[in-house]
Amino acid sequence: MNITKENIDDLNAVVKIDITEEDYQNKVAEILRDYRKNANIPGFRKGHVPMSLVKRQYEKPVLIDEVNKLLQESLNKFLIEEKLDILGNPLPKTQEDFSWDADKFSFEFELGLVPDFEVNLQPKKAINSYKIVADKKMLDDQVKNIQERYGKMISQTEISENSNITGTFVNEEKEIEKKTTFKLDKVKGKTNAKLFKGAKVGDVITLKTKGLFVDDHLLQNHLGVEHDVAHDLDVEVQFTVNEISETEPAELNQELFDKLFGEGIVKSEEEFKNRLKEDAEKQFEQQSDQQLLNAVTEALIENTKFDLPAEFLQKWIAVAGEKQLSEQEAKDEYERSEKGLRYQLIESKISKDNNLQVTFDELKEFAKGFIKSQMAQYGNVNPEEKELEEIAGRILSNQEEAKRLSEQLMSQKLLTFYKENVKLKIKEVSFDEFVKEVYK
């Protein structure tokens, strides 16, 4: 057997594999002898079938099978030994004059090679790394919401400015019949609010659905209609008032603090607000970290220039899936996936150059941390180590789950690396400012 590689250019190569009769004949002969021993052919005793008859029936398919096995094994071994970084899989070249009746065979495979490039971690313009702070308005709103949530409900005889209204919306034609509760301040416009004010239990109010609530999603929830229906719904509904109440806000006292955080953990209004601020900003970190990861990804793709073996990749995409694609379909798919492929190569190079890898022990500890946070949501804040080990073992035995957790852990490692090595500009913003700047 002889294997050679010819570089077409920096991104494309062809591997040629020559296989002679000496490479496969012993294995083919061994298999045919086994066939002869076990063959059940009418007119012959088992084990006494003439070899010429066995060869006539089985030699060619056995030869084809063994040559293909030898071909795949030798190609894989060659790629590993030569340390070739390839994209996709090798593509066999079509040979019009090929025949399995020959004694020796030559096969050629096209390769798409990973480009050689350097990653620039210091773009000219620094990337914004947002620090989202909980401003006074947000904290005041949060305090107000908590006071209402833990407040006392007081019945009212008629609807007023601060009322909680429980009732049933009905429209027979649209098959709407939904009992719901909402605050009057969620009703949109003075005209609609005026229809509610002064109403008593048992009163029926006729309303137009269009522009009834400050947000169409509220219309969806309170009328029990589909999302798409809510946006265009413009019909009359009858609303029957069932209950009217007002919330007396809970006092900011030790009893409330203990309910929220545990006995004696928070001891003053100042500590209460500081804790709310700290918890809110901790949650914001996940959003700012994800935004930073996205921004760095975009910047690396934009600033790291290299060519790809586009023609090879389009040919590979055409045959890689369950259904073969046309030339145009493969080209369209390549254009859709090119950006993602570029980042995969950039990420792979950063990981390799900086020894960023996920070990099994790290993955297990990461899985245990994930399990602990899940269990804490259901009140089990101190699970036993043995239990965590068993659950983590079960999760990691599932390849899809193990892959998903491994990707999350690698994202964390990359994020830490980017924070330490990429040119960043820390920008402090409120959550509203963050949303406006990032999501626009």
Side-chain angles (χ1 to χ4, degrees):
M1 182 187 298
N2 185 43
I3 305 180
T4 57
K5 176 172 75 74
E6 178 188 356
N7 288 333
I8 307 302
D9 53 39
D10 290 340
L11 299 172
N12 296 275
V14 172
V15 170
K16 183 178 181 183
I17 302 178
D18 296 319
I19 295 178
T20 66
E21 190 175 7
E22 293 178 355
D23 298 317
Y24 60 81
Q25 64 179 356
N26 289 340
K27 187 65 177 175
V28 170
E30 178 186 339
I31 293 171
L32 291 176
R33 284 195 296 271
D34 286 340
Y35 276 19
R36 187 187 181 207
K37 289 178 186 177
N38 299 300
N40 288 311
I41 297 178
F44 299 96
R45 285 184 297 152
K46 189 175 181 179
H48 290 78
V49 179
M51 179 57 79
S52 59
L53 183 58
V54 173
K55 283 186 175 182
R56 195 181 312 138
Q57 283 191 276
Y58 300 111
E59 185 173 31
K60 184 168 285 187
V62 169
L63 181 149
I64 293 171
D65 189 45
E66 287 306 309
V67 169
N68 279 324
K69 286 180 185 176
L70 188 60
L71 187 63
Q72 195 60 55
E73 289 170 3
S74 57
L75 178 59
N76 290 340
K77 185 179 178 184
F78 179 79
L79 295 176
I80 293 169
E81 289 177 347
E82 295 294 313
K83 297 179 180 177
L84 292 176
D85 287 332
I86 65 171
L87 296 169
N89 293 316
L91 290 177
K93 293 186 71 173
T94 302
Q95 301 178 58
E96 292 182 4
D97 57 349
F98 182 83
S99 172
W100 285 107
D101 292 326
D103 293 329
K104 57 183 180 180
F105 311 98
S106 290
F107 300 92
E108 291 185 340
F109 293 88
E110 295 179 69
L111 303 181
L113 305 178
V114 172
D116 186 25
F117 60 91
E118 295 299 323
V119 180
N120 178 17
L121 296 171
Q122 299 295 320
K124 292 179 181 179
K125 185 179 179 183
I127 298 170
N128 284 333
S129 177
Y130 290 95
K131 177 177 172 55
I132 307 173
V133 296
D135 57 12
K136 184 177 182 304
K137 179 182 180 301
M138 172 175 280
L139 289 174
D140 288 345
D141 288 344
Q142 198 166 355
V143 169
K144 183 180 177 183
N145 288 336
I146 289 172
Q147 286 183 288
E148 286 192 1
R149 198 186 322 149
Y150 289 88
K152 186 192 297 181
M153 300 293 285
I154 301 171
S155 293
Q156 292 181 299
T157 56
E158 62 180 48
I159 297 173
S160 62
E161 193 72 41
N162 298 313
S163 290
N164 305 305
I165 308 164
T166 298
T168 305
F169 283 106
V170 174
N171 178 291
E172 292 184 2
E173 182 185 348
K174 296 292 183 180
E175 298 183 344
I176 296 170
E177 185 173 350
K178 180 73 186 300
K179 186 173 182 179
T180 187
T181 300
F182 53 90
K183 288 185 69 69
L184 184 59
D185 61 10
K186 298 302 181 185
V187 172
K188 186 177 181 180
K190 292 181 180 179
T191 302
N192 284 329
K194 189 175 180 181
L195 293 172
F196 282 96
K197 285 180 182 177
K200 298 177 173 59
V201 172
D203 286 354
V204 178
I205 306 169
T206 300
L207 302 155
K208 284 278 191 181
T209 57
K210 189 172 180 63
L212 178 55
F213 290 103
V214 294
D215 185 336
D216 282 341
H217 293 98
L218 292 176
L219 191 70
Q220 175 190 350
N221 294 334
H222 292 311
L223 270 67
V225 295
E226 296 292 330
H227 177 273
D228 293 340
V229 173
H231 283 281
D232 299 317
L233 191 63
D234 186 8
V235 297
E236 275 192 354
V237 287
Q238 277 68 51
F239 180 78
T240 302
V241 182
N242 301 136
E243 298 175 33
I244 309 167
S245 64
E246 186 174 355
T247 304
E248 183 180 279
E251 293 184 25
L252 298 179
N253 55 23
Q254 194 62 47
E255 182 183 356
L256 178 62
F257 304 153
D258 289 348
K259 279 183 183 177
L260 292 169
F261 304 107
E263 190 172 346
I265 302 297
V266 170
K267 299 177 181 178
S268 68
E269 188 174 329
E270 183 181 0
E271 287 183 19
F272 168 63
K273 290 183 177 179
N274 286 338
R275 179 64 182 266
L276 291 181
K277 180 179 174 67
E278 180 185 321
D279 289 349
E281 291 178 355
K282 192 171 182 180
Q283 290 181 352
F284 293 151
E285 281 180 17
Q286 293 181 351
Q287 289 171 280
S288 60
D289 282 349
Q290 186 59 55
Q291 187 280 330
L292 177 60
L293 199 57
N294 293 343
V296 172
T297 298
E298 291 292 332
L300 289 174
I301 293 171
E302 184 178 342
N303 296 319
T304 308
K305 305 298 183 184
F306 55 84
D307 292 326
L308 289 169
E311 185 178 341
F312 167 84
L313 287 170
Q314 288 172 38
K315 285 198 286 186
W316 174 70
I317 287 170
V319 298
E322 293 181 6
K323 178 187 173 185
Q324 186 160 333
L325 304 180
S326 68
E327 186 176 328
Q328 185 60 48
E329 287 172 333
K331 183 179 180 182
D332 293 342
E333 181 60 31
Y334 171 74
E335 289 174 355
R336 283 192 293 269
S337 59
E338 182 186 359
K339 194 173 181 180
L341 174 58
R342 287 183 177 277
Y343 181 67
Q344 285 179 19
L345 293 173
I346 293 168
E347 182 184 302
S348 177
K349 181 166 179 61
I350 290 172
S351 301
K352 184 177 179 181
D353 290 351
N354 297 280
N355 197 30
L356 300 178
Q357 55 185 336
V358 173
T359 67
F360 180 76
D361 286 342
E362 287 175 327
L363 184 58
K364 186 165 71 170
E365 288 304 310
F366 182 71
K368 284 157 66 174
F370 173 76
I371 295 162
K372 282 179 74 172
S373 65
Q374 292 290 102
M375 294 174 84
Q377 293 180 20
Y378 295 95
N380 187 356
V381 295
N382 194 24
E384 291 185 5
E385 183 65 20
K386 183 180 177 182
E387 185 180 13
L388 290 173
E389 285 277 346
E390 290 175 354
I391 298 173
R394 287 200 300 270
I395 289 175
L396 296 179
S397 66
N398 182 312
Q399 288 188 351
E400 288 187 8
E401 281 297 306
K403 181 183 177 184
R404 183 179 65 83
L405 290 172
S406 181
E407 288 173 350
Q408 288 181 9
L409 181 53
M410 178 53 77
S411 289
Q412 285 190 8
K413 283 177 173 273
L414 285 166
L415 182 65
T416 301
F417 175 81
Y418 292 154
K419 285 181 177 180
E420 294 172 353
N421 294 277
V422 174
K423 186 178 178 182
L424 302 176
K425 176 185 175 184
I426 308 299
K427 188 169 184 180
E428 193 170 290
V429 292
S430 69
F431 182 72
D432 287 342
E433 290 169 335
F434 174 77
V435 170
K436 285 178 183 177
E437 287 198 25
V438 174
Y439 302 106
K440 296 176 182 178

